[in-house]
Amino acid sequence: MSERRFRHGLIVGKFYPLHAGHSHLIRTALRACDRVTVELIGSSVESVAVATREQWIREEHPTAHVVAFVDDTPVDFASETAWEAHTAVIAGALDAPVDAVFTSDAYGEELAKRMHAAWVQVDPGRVRNPVSGTAVRADLAAHWHELAPAVRASLAARIVVLGAESTGSTTLAAALADELGTHWVPEYGRELSVTRAGGLATPWRSDEFDLIVDRQIAMEDAALRRVPAPVLVCDTDVLATALWHERYVGAPAPRILSRAAGHRPALYVLTGDEIPFVQDGTRDGEHIRAHMQARFRAVLQGQPVPWLEVRGDVATRVREVLPAVHDALARALSFTAPLEGRPVEEQLALQRRAGR
């Protein structure tokens, strides 16, 4: 690219999702300009919220000025009317004129001309970064290495293994993660039960379960940024914590149930209670296991996330759960087609239905 120094550079895109090619484009512009505006223009038909994508860019490129909004104006590079409409929207979102437009794709030449700016084409043909949003959306797992930690954390699916005491949930979580080539998150509540003041002998307080939820979600969030594949296995979650609150405090916890409703995984796996009970010094005892298992089943039946119960040895349980895991991942990791990926007639119909 040119070594010329620009006053104000512009980058326009969907960032659906943000990938290494986008980041290379933004960093190139930042090196060449006094300031850079990144306009994230999403549409209402896309399945990742514009606010989420904006957060990705701000975290990955904190020195860029990011402007994010939804625009359902049909995209048609062959239409003068469409070009005029989009140019007006792009120019209207700027706080100052630009003197350079940075793109990899050829549309940048026309956009720069209409913005009365220089066109800087970065990595033409995507030779240096052979990745595109289309390719990532088509096969997220194959392009996982192209995504920043914040993007991975938003897109990876969670598979939650839970169950009553001594039903093999931890063993299955570890085995399933190994089978899927990913990481798993242990149960923070088990750690706290040993380290808390008074240990197991002291009655549980309601607020301790809020701490468990906070720490469990924090552990998940940290792991989601590091997973080598777009799936994370969790040994328990917020919903399970709500049931243990019910068990140890003696009353439901609506606030925790509310947090569980806002933190749903792609799949629940309930481990069966047919295996021998093993007392490890931290468990209530076998007398309560059947009751808690029934409670887990009842709660899982009343919530919207797909779930199944698995029995048998570890290898059998892994085999039983894998088809459900793959179905859940296919649902969770799919993207709706972006606006410009649809025929113009369909775009116009969507615009009419939205009353625009």
Side-chain angles (χ1 to χ4, degrees):
M1 67 165 265
S2 169
E3 294 298 325
R4 176 182 169 187
R5 187 76 188 174
F6 298 99
R7 183 185 68 259
H8 186 187
L10 172 66
I11 294 172
V12 175
K14 299 182 301 298
F15 307 98
Y16 183 50
L18 176 72
H19 55 66
H22 292 136
S23 290
H24 174 61
L25 180 66
I26 295 171
R27 291 188 182 107
T28 299
L30 287 168
R31 285 192 293 268
C33 301
D34 296 333
R35 64 187 297 247
V36 172
T37 293
V38 177
E39 289 195 11
L40 191 172
I41 308 177
S43 77
S44 58
V45 299
E46 292 157 358
S47 51
V48 178
V50 166
T52 299
R53 288 179 261 171
E54 179 182 7
Q55 182 181 355
W56 294 342
I57 300 172
R58 290 187 184 281
E59 178 173 326
E60 191 69 5
H61 305 285
T63 59
H65 174 58
V66 183
V67 179
F69 53 93
V70 172
D71 179 21
D72 286 332
T73 303
V75 178
D76 182 2
F77 291 119
S79 166
E80 175 64 22
T81 300
W83 265 111
E84 289 178 353
H86 282 286
T87 302
V89 168
I90 291 167
L94 292 169
D95 61 2
V98 298
D99 58 343
V101 172
F102 291 75
T103 71
S104 291
D105 296 323
Y107 77 85
E109 183 175 15
E110 180 65 23
L111 177 59
K113 182 169 63 177
R114 291 171 181 267
M115 300 295 293
H116 307 290
W119 175 42
V120 182
Q121 188 174 26
V122 179
D123 193 16
R126 294 191 175 94
V127 175
R128 181 171 177 178
N129 291 283
V131 62
S132 68
T134 301
V136 175
R137 292 191 297 272
D139 192 343
L140 187 64
H143 297 89
W144 195 243
H145 61 284
E146 304 282 2
L147 307 180
V151 183
R152 295 184 185 188
S154 295
L155 297 182
R158 289 182 302 113
I159 306 298
V160 173
V161 182
L162 40 65
E165 291 181 328
S166 191
T167 57
S169 60
T170 300
T171 301
L172 179 59
L176 185 58
D178 185 62
E179 178 70 23
L180 296 172
T182 191
H183 300 161
W184 68 283
V185 177
E187 180 183 359
Y188 175 73
R190 175 175 288 272
E191 176 186 338
L192 182 63
S193 67
V194 176
T195 60
R196 64 192 286 266
L200 297 171
T202 302
W204 286 86
R205 303 187 316 273
S206 181
D207 64 286
E208 291 181 284
F209 290 87
D210 294 290
L211 172 64
I212 290 172
V213 169
D214 290 343
R215 294 286 175 85
Q216 194 72 42
I217 291 177
M219 290 165 62
E220 291 175 9
D221 288 345
L224 284 166
R225 290 172 168 269
R226 302 190 305 269
V227 284
V231 58
L232 176 69
V233 181
C234 302
D235 177 19
T236 201
D237 82 331
V238 183
L239 183 61
T241 303
L243 295 185
W244 291 117
H245 179 285
E246 185 180 290
R247 161 77 184 106
Y248 288 113
V249 178
R255 68 188 185 281
I256 297 178
L257 288 170
S258 177
R259 292 188 70 179
H263 191 65
R264 290 182 173 131
L267 177 72
Y268 279 117
V269 180
L270 178 65
T271 45
D273 61 347
E274 83 289 355
I275 62 177
F277 184 89
V278 177
Q279 179 55 265
D280 65 357
T282 67
R283 292 168 174 160
D284 277 347
E286 190 169 6
H287 66 286
I288 198 66
R289 185 170 71 162
H291 167 75
M292 286 302 299
Q293 191 74 0
R295 186 71 184 118
F296 272 105
R297 289 191 194 104
V299 170
L300 288 173
Q301 287 169 355
Q303 54 82 52
V305 175
W307 71 280
L308 76 162
E309 185 171 356
V310 292
R311 295 175 174 270
D313 61 21
V314 177
T316 300
R317 291 179 173 197
V318 169
R319 284 197 304 272
E320 284 187 3
V321 79
L322 280 178
V325 168
H326 292 314
D327 287 346
L329 295 183
R331 290 190 300 271
L333 305 180
S334 63
F335 297 81
T336 58
L339 196 63
E340 76 272 21
R342 303 164 186 249
V344 174
E345 295 77 11
E346 182 181 346
Q347 295 185 52
L348 290 168
L350 288 167
Q351 188 181 38
R352 285 193 297 270
R353 284 201 294 271
R356 296 179 177 87

